[in-house]
Amino acid sequence: AGTTRRGFLRSGGSAALVVGFTLPAFAPRAQGATPAPNPMVTRGAGPALNAFLRIAPDNSITVVCGPAEMGQGVLTAIPMLLAEELDADWSRVSVMQAPADAAYANPMFGMQVTGGSTTVRAHWEPLRKAGAAAREMLVAAAAAQWRLSASELRTEKSYVIAPKGSKLSYGALCSLAAKLPVPAQPTLKDSKDFKLLGKPLRRLDTPVKVTGAARYGIDAQVPGMLIAVMARAPLPGAKAQSFAEADAKAVPRVRQVIALPSGVAVLADGYWAAKRGRDALQVKWDLGEHATLGSAGISNMLDAAAAMADVLARDDGNVRDAAANSATSIDAVYEAPYLAHACMEPMNCTAHVRGDEVEIWAGTQSQGPAQGILGQVAQVTPAKVKVNTLLLGGGFGRRFAPDFCIDAVLLSKLSGKPVKLIYTREDDMAAGFYRPASVARFEGALDAKGVPTLLKVGVGTPSIMAASGFMKIPDSGVDPFALEGIHDHPYDISNQRIAYGRAEPGPQVWFWRSVGHSQNIFFMEGFIDEMAAAAKKDPFEFRRALLTNQPRCKGVLELAAERANWGRALPAGVARGIAL
């Protein structure tokens, strides 16, 4: 994500100033990207050009946002980054969702995706540079018009201001400024001069959500579309042996029944008809190799993998000697189940395949990869796949997966119609992709003073990296997602052995908000509490003593204890815990 990988786009035009950045490796595909109309844009956005910023002659400003909005606030955060350096009038700023195009790639990933809590971190510098460069170009344009030095001018609320108070609006200057070269290294503000960043501002997407004008994926409407509901395989690898197609078609308004590798779809003129048709299918499934899959079997498999874990992520000191010389030994086994993402808006995608062109309307966290994947599905080039990113009713990693988009495109291609595929709530819970189930076996040892001398952990869990299809497990054999929060814990314990035991019971696993930390922090902090209890020590003081080499973590822990009045007596029936 270094600045040397980014360059500013040269841009021109008579009606709007356009400034942005692209990753040079993706530059050829960045030509001609056109953001789709969006209800967040309340004023004229100017012509559609490759950039993050448009300044129209009426002095309205539109920022084009590449990441997807799923409630986390990027449709406001991204404009704030640019508007701060631009010295823009925030009341005149609108936001527009970007198209799927490599020009809008997340600099930390090199592709247009939203995840990993990276959006602000990744765009912090390039979006601020885009705003600062535009401001310098506007100042240069005003200086040329007034025949003054740029150093004599200042900017404020979308105006360039001369020493004697004369003003020119950004909108009036945009045509001239757009013809000027883009500064390669514009000067950025000192944080003490920020007027927008770090300040409480009203979100730009709130009004359309309140009024109902906001469009989520499930709101997409395409003339002539059919609604699809699928009978999905109940277990991984299960195949439909037979189904009652005639019974499904007997339901009024049902138009087609189509079998796919992932199940059997019923297409109808409305959702309720499609749902009733799906329920009438009476599918008989060949459950395949996972026919006997159950919770007990999964637990046993993961527990065995944890017990036999031998792919080392950490091997410090001498674990054997530490165990032999301990005064107190502690062991514990922790288990976490598969978890569905449970997004408020069930998975859905509307697709229209027209010859060699594909267009989808979806709430997706992976617009960039979707172009390539759906191009393969429909057998067209990625450039022929148009992705309209609508608002996401929750993502949490689930909408990074391509399954709902793949099936929608297949159904459109096979039916010859635009198709909106909607998962029922039950399907959304049962049709995979899950946070991995996991078992972690912990062993610890304390010396005579109650100081921990040993930590040994074996984790048995599936690999998200392997399941992703686009990531490769490192040569070490350790999937870092499986152990994050354990192998990189902050505590100073001299002898440690932390190992991974991969096991794949069958269900599809996927990225789930905070990924491995979501279960591993519970495991790790739970065991730290158990060691503190065995040492007969206060859990806060026990942790603090192990953070000598981690001043930031120690400071956070101390502040949390202070704010929580740690140590103060509690009423009967009230308990208090602490974790890091």
Side-chain angles (χ1 to χ4, degrees):
T3 56
T4 56
R5 295 185 64 216
R6 297 192 286 269
F8 287 96
L9 287 174
R10 178 180 60 82
S11 55
S14 60
L17 172 63
V18 184
V19 178
F21 78 96
T22 186
L23 301 177
F26 293 120
R29 277 194 52 227
Q31 306 304 311
T34 305
N38 189 297
M40 260 69 80
V41 178
T42 55
R43 289 170 286 275
L49 299 173
N50 289 335
F52 291 92
L53 172 66
R54 290 115 178 270
I55 302 176
D58 67 356
N59 214 25
S60 64
I61 293 170
T62 302
V63 178
V64 182
C65 178
E69 175 63 66
M70 48 189 162
Q72 82 280 37
V74 297
L75 285 178
T76 303
I78 290 295
M80 285 175 69
L81 292 173
L82 193 149
E84 177 66 72
E85 297 290 347
L86 183 63
D87 273 344
D89 180 351
W90 183 251
S91 69
R92 300 283 294 164
V93 174
S94 295
V95 63
M96 178 180 285
Q97 187 71 59
D101 192 280
Y104 301 102
N106 179 315
M108 290 180 70
F109 293 138
M111 54 184 173
Q112 189 180 358
V113 296
T114 307
S117 299
T118 62
T119 294
V120 170
R121 281 186 285 156
H123 293 90
W124 175 260
E125 184 178 297
L127 264 294
R128 289 177 62 207
K129 279 191 171 183
R135 189 187 66 81
E136 291 185 9
M137 295 161 70
L138 290 159
V139 168
Q145 191 159 325
W146 282 328
R147 299 184 183 277
L148 295 171
S149 168
S151 62
E152 298 179 71
L153 309 180
R154 64 185 179 89
T155 54
E156 183 178 352
K157 289 192 173 182
S158 301
Y159 281 89
V160 179
I161 304 171
K164 295 183 178 180
S166 299
K167 291 183 177 182
L168 283 172
S169 72
Y170 288 177
L173 293 166
C174 66
S175 296
L176 178 58
K179 300 173 184 177
L180 301 177
V182 179
Q185 293 296 331
T187 301
L188 299 180
K189 290 182 180 180
D190 188 292
S191 59
K192 65 179 175 56
D193 298 321
F194 286 166
K195 295 181 175 64
L196 298 175
L197 295 178
K199 305 299 188 293
L201 298 177
R202 292 181 177 180
R203 285 174 54 150
L204 298 179
D205 54 344
T206 297
V208 292
K209 289 177 177 177
V210 170
T211 62
R215 293 179 68 213
Y216 290 81
I218 207 165
D219 295 320
Q221 295 291 328
V222 177
M225 73 179 183
L226 297 175
I227 305 297
V229 176
M230 291 186 65
R232 299 187 172 279
L235 289 173
K239 303 294 182 185
Q241 286 183 316
S242 64
F243 51 90
E245 180 175 354
D247 289 354
K249 286 185 173 179
V251 175
R253 302 176 69 200
V254 168
R255 302 303 177 197
Q256 297 185 47
V257 176
I258 298 175
L260 297 180
S262 55
V264 184
V266 174
L267 284 62
D269 290 332
Y271 173 81
W272 185 238
K275 169 69 166 56
R276 290 182 60 218
R278 192 281 297 269
D279 294 345
L281 281 172
Q282 305 175 53
V283 182
K284 293 184 179 179
W285 299 97
D286 175 1
L287 300 180
E289 62 177 317
H290 297 298
T292 60
L293 184 70
S295 296
I298 291 170
S299 293
N300 290 339
M301 183 185 295
L302 297 177
D303 185 61
M308 300 294 291
D310 59 0
V311 181
L312 294 178
R314 192 164 180 174
D315 192 14
D316 304 341
N318 189 319
V319 171
R320 180 177 298 178
D321 287 353
N325 298 323
S326 65
T328 305
S329 298
I330 312 100
D331 61 81
V333 179
Y334 297 88
E335 181 173 5
Y338 291 105
L339 285 188
H341 296 74
C343 304
M344 184 174 289
E345 176 194 12
M347 297 302 107
N348 64 85
C349 176
T350 302
H352 195 184
V353 180
R354 301 182 294 271
D356 66 346
E357 295 184 349
V358 177
E359 185 169 8
I360 70 165
W361 295 259
T364 174
Q365 294 177 240
S366 56
Q367 302 98 312
Q371 280 193 307
I373 293 169
L374 299 181
Q376 294 178 43
V377 169
Q379 298 180 319
V380 303
T381 62
K384 291 288 188 177
V385 178
K386 182 178 181 181
V387 180
N388 299 288
T389 304
L390 304 184
L391 293 171
L392 287 63
F396 321 121
R398 177 64 178 93
R399 284 186 160 90
F400 202 111
D403 56 313
F404 53 99
C405 295
I406 289 173
D407 285 349
V409 168
L410 283 173
L411 291 172
S412 178
K413 185 176 179 69
L414 293 172
S415 69
K417 300 280 188 179
V419 172
K420 180 193 288 188
L421 172 65
I422 301 176
Y423 284 34
T424 67
R425 176 61 70 195
E426 294 86 349
D427 289 342
D428 211 33
M429 298 297 101
F433 296 50
Y434 302 107
R435 186 193 75 175
S438 182
V439 170
R441 301 182 71 92
F442 281 75
E443 297 176 34
L446 305 169
D447 65 16
K449 295 181 179 180
V451 175
T453 58
L454 165 67
L455 177 67
K456 184 178 178 182
V457 189
V459 177
T461 190
S463 169
I464 289 178
M465 295 187 79
S468 72
F470 63 89
M471 303 180 82
K472 182 179 181 294
I473 299 176
D475 293 339
S476 67
V478 176
D479 181 337
F481 293 116
L483 297 182
E484 61 182 358
I486 296 178
H487 78 88
D488 53 354
H489 71 81
Y491 300 113
D492 186 9
I493 301 173
S494 299
N495 306 289
Q496 300 188 50
R497 183 185 187 275
I498 298 172
Y500 175 46
R502 182 180 170 190
E504 301 289 349
Q508 170 75 47
V509 296
W510 198 248
F511 306 92
W512 193 95
R513 183 72 173 127
S514 81
V515 201
H517 290 99
S518 67
Q519 70 265 27
N520 288 340
I521 292 297
F522 167 71
F523 298 164
M524 186 69 201
E525 291 298 301
F527 192 67
I528 291 291
D529 272 345
E530 297 203 42
M531 288 202 291
K536 295 181 173 57
K537 292 186 177 182
D538 176 274
F540 162 64
E541 298 293 353
F542 186 81
R543 285 173 169 80
R544 182 163 64 169
L546 300 177
L547 295 172
T548 303
N549 298 317
Q550 297 286 345
R552 287 190 72 198
C553 289
K554 184 178 180 181
V556 169
L557 184 74
E558 290 173 339
L559 182 60
E562 176 189 328
R563 295 289 178 86
N565 295 314
W566 187 265
R568 181 179 294 179
L570 293 172
V574 177
R576 177 171 49 202
I578 193 164
L580 177 61

